[in-house]
Amino acid sequence: MSFSFQQEEDCLVEKCAVFGAFNAGPEAARLAFYGLWALQHRGQESSGIVSSDSERLHRHAAPGLVANAYREEDLEQLPGTIAIGHNRYSTSGAAEGAHSQPVLRSEPQFALAHNGNFPITTAMEAHLKKHGVSCQKLNDSEMMADVIHTFMQNGHDLEQAITRAYPLLEGVFSAVAMTTDTLVAFRDAHGIRPLSIGTLGDGYVVASETCAFDTVGATFLCDVKPGELIVIDKNGLRAEQIVPGNLKLDIFEFVYFARPDSMLLGRSVNEVRQNLGKELAKEWKIDADIVVPVPDSAIPAALGYSRATGIPFEMAIIKNRYIHRTFIRPNAQMRQQDVRMKLNPIPDLLRGKRVVLIDDSIVRGTTTKKIAKLMYDAGAKEVHVLISSPPVAYPDFYGINISDQSELIASYMTPAEIGAHIGADSLGYLSYDGMIRATGMPASTFSTACF
């Protein structure tokens, strides 16, 4: 599963991380554990790992963060030198731990971990019905796994099965899959979600983001190309272009989703985000005393804006890094305190100051409104909100799965109206052209439908 709009969070949330390891050490599952830890930001609902001991596949999955989903004895029950892993962020309203990945199937043994979204499942459903597989309790990732598995049951190996299943996969996927002796990685024709290959010793690792390579000590080798299938087995690594690729990476990977220490399309995410701030500085001249980011994703953009304008940068909002999605849902009264639970202003830095408050996006506007109020309550004289992306005004079912356009404040309010709604002295968005310039790549490289 990929994205959905979370009503309780007022943000766009990334929902999956995938990781794979082949012959990169004697304990592939432990390597996957550390890789998934590095990718925790991409999914916090559940985590799972499947490993191979050359004869059979072993699986462990549990709800919660990576740190809580695995005990030492769990990792000890995942032997072998091949493993895949997955972090999941479920759709709103899904049961805790339901549909955790990797998906494991037997006869023949096969496992799959998927980052993506299938807004259309008609072809998969028809294929599975033809083969006597009920779709009633399956999500899109599980349908994908079962479609591939039907081809394997008809005698095709994993590479052949994915190739034959590919025309039925009408959506977004960056995926890893495995049998007892083979690891594969593959992307949809547009490469909307990232996926990269690294080397570690004589083996290979696969990850949603390159920051995971740094954590496990791997070296970046290449990105999996759109429409490409990478096969890793005892004979090494080989690539097959299943369909022609037409790159359309979701630009929100640069704006918000990816970790700043990752590389996307050969570009530093941190550098691009600083460029977003520099472009903001060209477009929005504000007479202010300090520049303050909404932590953490807006920090590089705020730094870029500060350096371009000369206005001092201040970390005047502190994030409680121990606030995550948990099994205990706060009651209605506590939900009103959600921003104060996560963010706390420093009055000594804000009192009497004219503040440029920088964030990466506005969805409903409720969180931005609360943060602006925090600034005023802490003594800020003025609060000018700048957003390092254009207004998110449209659903993008292949990238950000927002089903109802009315959830997006920019779809029914002008920037001036949004500024008045959030109670700021002013509100400015980065232009579409400014966002594209910050990446250093043409607009045709990206999926930008939400703008």
Side-chain angles (χ1 to χ4, degrees), residues 338-349:
D338 57 353
V339 171
R340 288 192 176 274
M341 289 171 65
K342 296 177 182 178
L343 303 172
N344 195 42
I346 302 177
D348 287 348
L349 295 176

Side-chain angles (χ1 to χ4, degrees), residues 136-415:
Q136 186 174 0
K137 296 183 179 180
L138 301 179
N139 67 13
D140 55 356
S141 302
E142 292 159 344
M143 285 187 217
M144 179 187 189
D146 281 340
V147 167
I148 295 169
H149 196 235
T150 60
F151 288 104
M152 296 179 70
Q153 289 175 320
N154 286 329
H156 298 293
D157 64 21
L158 180 57
E159 178 181 358
Q160 294 167 338
I162 292 171
T163 301
R164 282 161 175 76
Y166 207 94
L168 304 174
L169 308 179
E170 301 174 288
V172 176
F173 49 91
S174 283
V176 293
M178 66 181 290
T179 60
T180 55
D181 59 5
T182 302
L183 173 69
V184 302
F186 56 105
R187 289 174 87 185
D188 63 80
H190 298 293
I192 290 178
R193 303 265 67 77
L195 193 63
S196 300
I197 307 289
T199 58
L200 182 58
D202 296 328
Y204 297 92
V205 293
V206 185
S208 292
E209 289 183 39
T210 62
C211 62
F213 297 160
D214 300 329
T215 297
V216 302
T219 300
F220 172 79
L221 177 63
C222 63
D223 291 328
V224 180
K225 297 175 184 176
E228 185 177 55
L229 170 66
I230 300 289
V231 181
I232 307 171
D233 57 21
K234 64 181 180 181
N235 297 316
L237 181 149
R238 66 183 184 278
E240 177 186 352
Q241 192 70 38
I242 299 179
V243 298
N246 179 21
L247 180 64
K248 295 288 182 182
L249 181 74
D250 183 0
I251 201 165
F252 258 100
E253 294 286 352
F254 275 118
V255 171
Y256 171 70
F257 292 134
R259 254 177 53 167
D261 50 337
S262 286
M263 301 287 291
L264 294 173
L265 306 180
R267 301 289 203 279
S268 161
V269 173
N270 180 69
E271 182 178 346
V272 169
R273 288 184 184 161
Q274 290 205 30
N275 289 344
L276 293 170
K278 293 174 183 177
E279 292 293 334
L280 268 176
K282 294 176 185 177
E283 297 179 4
W284 295 95
K285 313 288 186 184
I286 295 176
D287 191 12
D289 301 306
I290 57 173
V291 177
V292 177
V294 177
D296 286 323
S297 55
I299 291 174
L303 280 169
Y305 187 90
S306 171
R307 289 168 180 169
T309 61
I311 301 173
F313 173 93
E314 291 286 0
M315 283 297 300
I317 304 176
I318 301 302
K319 181 178 181 180
N320 183 343
R321 302 182 189 279
Y322 298 94
I323 296 293
H324 295 282
R325 289 176 64 89
T326 66
F327 303 120
I328 302 173
R329 298 289 191 229
N331 59 31
Q333 181 179 355
M334 288 304 293
R335 277 196 294 271
Q336 298 301 315
Q337 297 289 110
D338 57 353
V339 171
R340 288 192 176 274
M341 289 171 65
K342 296 177 182 178
L343 303 172
N344 195 42
I346 302 177
D348 287 348
L349 295 176
L350 295 166
R351 193 173 295 114
K353 299 292 178 61
R354 298 166 299 172
V355 178
V356 175
L357 179 68
I358 294 186
D359 205 355
D360 48 69
S361 59
I362 295 178
V363 182
R364 283 191 298 165
T366 54
T367 295
T368 308
K369 183 176 183 177
K370 291 175 183 177
I371 295 173
K373 186 175 186 300
L374 285 180
M375 300 291 97
Y376 290 120
D377 290 347
K381 181 180 179 182
E382 298 174 10
V383 178
H384 303 272
V385 177
L386 293 182
I387 305 300
S388 61
S389 63
V392 179
Y394 305 97
D396 178 359
F397 300 105
Y398 286 96
I400 304 162
N401 189 13
I402 301 170
S403 59
D404 189 346
Q405 189 171 358
S406 66
E407 295 171 349
L408 303 169
I409 192 171
S411 71
Y412 57 87
M413 283 189 185
T414 66

Side-chain angles (χ1 to χ4, degrees), residues 415-434:
E417 290 170 337
I418 297 171
H421 173 76
I422 65 177
D425 286 277
S426 67
L427 169 67
Y429 286 92
L430 181 62
S431 69
Y432 179 88
D433 290 340

